[in-house]
Amino acid sequence: RTSIRFSQEGGKPVAVGGPLDPGRYRVHAVTPDGVALEKDFWVVDPSTAATVKIEGSEFSVGQAIPIAWRNAPGNRNDYVAAFRTDDDVTYTSVLAWTYINAMPDGKVVLDQSTAEWGWPLAPGHYIIRLMKDDGYDSLAESDEFDVR
């Protein structure tokens, strides 16, 4: 018989029998032959809007841009991307971007090592958008920032 238990982030045990509160969880299973398995999963409140924020408002060309997001849908190919503030969301308006690895909440630094293309950003006015699943649906926008 396989045994299964659940815990919240930080290892706090969770009794399963009803709805789970939004947050990060881990399922722990031990198979009959003693193999231990663990997998993280998230519960996201669909009524809570996604957000994306940057740490800072002015960056030098090539300087890393710290980005944090919350309540993303957790799709495999969700990503954060830089756009000029006046640009609509189109294939050609996406500048530097990086995948967020299906993480509903998290942080990443957009820089030379993480940007899929478009790095460094040229001097100008920008925003970061949280984008849905390799597409062009914008889920959230950061405050504006400058690259000088």
Side-chain angles (χ1 to χ4, degrees):
R1 181 171 171 207
T2 301
S3 68
I4 298 176
R5 66 183 173 85
F6 295 86
S7 64
Q8 285 181 308
E9 191 170 14
K12 179 181 174 190
V14 174
V16 178
L20 295 172
D21 291 331
R24 184 176 182 174
Y25 294 86
R26 177 170 285 178
V27 62
H28 310 266
V30 179
T31 65
D33 57 351
V35 176
L37 307 167
E38 294 184 343
K39 184 68 177 171
D40 289 344
F41 69 96
W42 291 261
V43 175
V44 177
D45 180 351
S47 67
T48 302
T51 60
V52 63
K53 296 180 179 182
I54 56 168
E55 296 176 24
S57 61
E58 189 172 296
F59 302 89
S60 301
V61 171
Q63 182 180 353
I65 301 169
I67 303 168
W69 67 93
R70 293 195 46 84
N71 214 46
N75 298 307
R76 178 180 177 191
N77 292 318
D78 293 341
Y79 63 103
V80 290
F83 291 81
R84 291 196 180 274
T85 55
D86 295 335
D87 284 351
D88 292 328
V89 177
T90 66
Y91 175 78
T92 58
S93 65
V94 176
L95 301 174
W97 59 275
T98 189
Y99 289 115
I100 60 172
N101 301 317
M103 302 282 286
D105 297 343
K107 293 181 179 184
V108 68
V109 175
L110 187 60
D111 64 11
Q112 183 177 359
S113 68
T114 60
E116 297 290 331
W117 70 12
W119 193 260
L121 295 175
H125 304 290
Y126 296 92
I127 57 172
I128 297 292
R129 289 186 171 125
L130 173 61
M131 305 297 291
K132 183 178 176 184
D133 206 19
D134 249 356
Y136 301 100
D137 293 329
S138 178
L139 303 172
E141 290 184 3
S142 72
D143 290 336
E144 294 182 12
F145 65 95
D146 293 316
V147 173
R148 299 194 188 275

